[in-house]
Amino acid sequence: MRKVTLMELRELALQSKNNLWDKARALDRDVKLYLHWTAGHYGQFFDSYHINIDADGSVYVSANDLAAAKSHTYRRNSGAIGISLACAYNATTNNFGLEPPTPAQIEAAAQVVAVLAAALDLTIDLQRVMTHAEAADNKDGLNPGYGANGYPDGRHGPEHSCERWDLWFFPGVAPGEGGNVIRGKANWYRNQGVS
Ligand SMILES: [Zn+2]
């Protein structure tokens, strides 16, 4: 893991841009950004995400090539960047436990999305920027059937059996609104010129 500034992240995104778009276009879609939490501890990072964000909002990359294939979001990993908040150890939908997503993590996630979207020419909307909870419920309609019984590993989002509910909500935000809140903040940062 290597700690990076938002400006360094922007450079990496620009270097990876053509490869990301080639992979996404091969699938007839735009590049996607997926937002996760690790369900681990603060300060505990994982290689399966391109970008890890710590509790204090600091940003780490696991690879310089943001187009490299990583396993973060079932059937959605090509031409996609996985971003994860290091938090939510033992969290349940009733109790976030001792390591909930922090306000600094949420703000950093929104800034990371703003920077990546600007560098990669992406509109910040549900079609291009999704939480894992939204992806697992197939909110963009990308994988017909997999939000219901067609998801072979049996892990669905909150509208189904809820094994995958990353950022469906977080402290201070209503269930189902996590993605909207982060996209709203990301658009705000983009409009402020954070890029
Ligand atoms: Zn996830």
Side-chain angles (χ1 to χ4, degrees), residues 72-92:
H72 48 87
T73 315
Y74 186 71
R75 285 191 178 172
R76 291 169 173 272
N77 291 314
S78 188
I81 298 178
I83 304 158
S84 197
L85 281 56
C87 63
Y89 181 74
N90 269 351
T92 70

Side-chain angles (χ1 to χ4, degrees), residues 109-131:
Q111 291 172 357
V112 163
V113 168
V115 166
L116 294 178
L120 300 172
D121 298 329
L122 292 173
T123 303
I124 299 169
D125 61 10
L126 178 66
Q127 289 297 317
R128 296 159 187 88
V129 181
M130 301 179 90
T131 64

Side-chain angles (χ1 to χ4, degrees), residues 35-37 49 72-73 84 132 164 166:
L35 292 153
H36 298 256
W37 55 44
Y49 311 103
H72 48 87
T73 315
S84 197
H132 196 183
R164 292 286 178 264
D166 306 23

